[in-house]
Amino acid sequence: MAIVVQTNMLSLNAQKRLFESSAGLNGALEQLSTGRRISRAADDAANLQIGGRLAGQFQGLNQAVRNANDGIAITQIAEGALAGTEKSLQRIRQLAVQAQNGILSAADKIALNKEANALLDEIDRTAETTEFGGKKLLDGSFRGEFSDGANKGQVMELDLTKLAEGFNRTELGLQGLNVATATVTGGPALAASDISGAGAYPGANQGIVLFENTYSAGERRFAVSNNAGVSYEEVVVNFTGNGATDNNLLINAINSTLGGAVVSSAEPSFEDVITNGVQPDFRIAFESTNNADFIDMTAGSIGTYTSSNSGGSSEILSALDNALTQVAETRAELGAKQNAFQSSMRNMMIMAENVGGAKSKIMDTDYAVATADLTKQQIIQQSTVTLMGRAAQIPQSALFLLQN
């Protein structure tokens, strides 16, 4: 080996080794201090991409578990509220049966009906006020999706729109329920096959005449249609015996049931007339047992039908049984959905555990390996520094040659 002064190759080589050992030492220290094997793309570019994808899936699964917990909370709140509704319906049914006791006076039955109506008010209040996080659950509007995984399209739906306006007395078919008289005006729409003889009123001068002189007080039932007789809704009016008053009662009841200004009034001195203007889709029928006070006018005709609610105690109990079935079915659906959420949570937690383990093997520091590497790099660095000192002394041999 030549003895030179200008270029100390041994020192340069030692410096290169020192740089490499310092970089290795810094890497080992960073892994140990951060707990991450890969902190930047330069550490392991390929595995950084894989680890990042796994990290996104891991975080998504954990958030989906929290979302499912909210879904479970909603099902529990809704089911608990419906349990109260079901209890109220059971009590109303008990009152309806009690009212069929021949020993009771009219006042006794009125008292029973007051309790029944108070319970119906509570059913309406429950439907309107049950909510979670500001969202109403039982008013017929709630439909939500909850994550069933970490990726697009992995959702579970919770739908509480079975009843359009919620679990209130109207949607449960109990509007106008009266345990004292064993009547209820709610229930499903009448089919066209239930009606006979109801014709259209296409002209502005056609209508229904109610004679004041023979008109009597009491409950009257009508079936009305505004879709050319495809289906009918039942209207119940408690007439007073005063023609002018009852005319308005019937008008308001028809318009309220059909959802608009379908019929209007004209009032000659000797009779009350309900006219519908130009409404070719309008039809009306009266209950066949209460038709004495009505006649036809011009080309239009009033049909007849047998009221779906004329069955007395059997009808009111049937309506309550239908309402109880609706509530019980929904409670069962909510229970099944709660179990589905819990099953989904278990699956997602298992997936999160496995994905987290795979991510850890790629991204996290193995302290046993990193500590051994740190020790190795420290020894190499110390040895390199010592050798650099020795290499720096080698050019001094040239002075020895010159002195001799």
Side-chain angles (χ1 to χ4, degrees), residues 324-339:
L324 283 164
T325 298
Q326 291 260 42
V327 173
E329 286 178 351
T330 304
R331 289 186 66 192
E333 291 169 5
L334 286 169
K337 186 65 69 172
Q338 181 177 336
N339 290 336

Side-chain angles (χ1 to χ4, degrees), residues 220-257:
R220 296 290 186 277
R221 296 177 182 271
F222 303 86
V224 293
S225 171
N226 204 31
N227 58 13
V230 174
S231 63
Y232 287 79
E233 297 289 336
E234 195 168 47
V235 177
V236 180
V237 183
N238 287 305
F239 288 136
T240 64
N242 179 286
T245 300
D246 294 335
N247 180 51
N248 290 327
L249 287 175
L250 182 55
I251 288 171
N252 293 335
I254 292 173
N255 288 338
S256 175
T257 299

